[in-house]
Amino acid sequence: MSQAILEKVEQTAMKENPPQFEIGDTVDVHLRILEGNKERIQVFTGVVIAISGSGSKEMFTVRRIVAGEGVERKFPIHSPRIEKVDVKRSSVVRRAKLYFLRERVGKAVRLKERRRT
C-alpha cells in the first residue's frame, strides 16, 4: 500500500521525456543557477562516467578536467534545475562505470569516438 503511494508521488516529480545519453558520451549540462533574485544558465561540459539509481532518484556523474585537476559532479536526471542535456559526441565503451578514467592523465583520458550511421 505505502509503496504504491510512494510511486505515485515520484511519478509527479519525473520529467515526461528525460534526456537521452549513455555512458562515455561527452555532454553539455545546462543548469539553472539562482544568484539572489537573478537566474542564469551555466553549462557544465564533460564525460558521463556513471549512471546510478532508478525512477525519480536516477543520477548521472559527469567528469571534466579543469586546470589540470579532475572535477566530477552528480546531477539528478529528473531535476527541474536541469534545463537540457546536449550530447556532443559518443564514445565506444565496454563498461558500465568509467571510474578508471580517474587515474588517467593527459591523452590517456580520451575515449575512442563512436561513429553514427
Side-chain angles (χ1 to χ4, degrees), residues 41-65:
I41 302 292
Q42 183 177 17
V43 180
F44 190 89
T45 304
V47 178
V48 178
I49 63 167
I51 297 176
S52 62
S54 63
S56 66
K57 299 177 201 85
E58 193 170 2
M59 309 273 282
F60 64 102
T61 306
V62 179
R63 178 178 176 82
R64 72 176 183 176
I65 307 296

Side-chain angles (χ1 to χ4, degrees), residues 1-8:
M1 178 69 179
S2 63
Q3 188 66 28
I5 295 170
L6 283 174
E7 286 178 13
K8 255 191 177 155

Side-chain angles (χ1 to χ4, degrees), residues 15-79:
K15 291 183 180 177
E16 290 179 17
N17 47 354
Q20 299 296 316
F21 54 87
E22 297 176 359
I23 303 289
D25 288 355
T26 301
V27 295
D28 285 349
V29 182
H30 296 257
L31 290 167
R32 281 196 206 109
I33 304 292
L34 291 172
E35 294 175 338
N37 58 356
K38 293 183 181 177
E39 185 176 295
R40 66 182 177 90
I41 302 292
Q42 183 177 17
V43 180
F44 190 89
T45 304
V47 178
V48 178
I49 63 167
I51 297 176
S52 62
S54 63
S56 66
K57 299 177 201 85
E58 193 170 2
M59 309 273 282
F60 64 102
T61 306
V62 179
R63 178 178 176 82
R64 72 176 183 176
I65 307 296
V66 178
E69 200 68 29
V71 176
E72 290 183 11
R73 192 159 174 194
K74 290 184 82 170
F75 301 100
I77 288 179
H78 298 285
S79 171

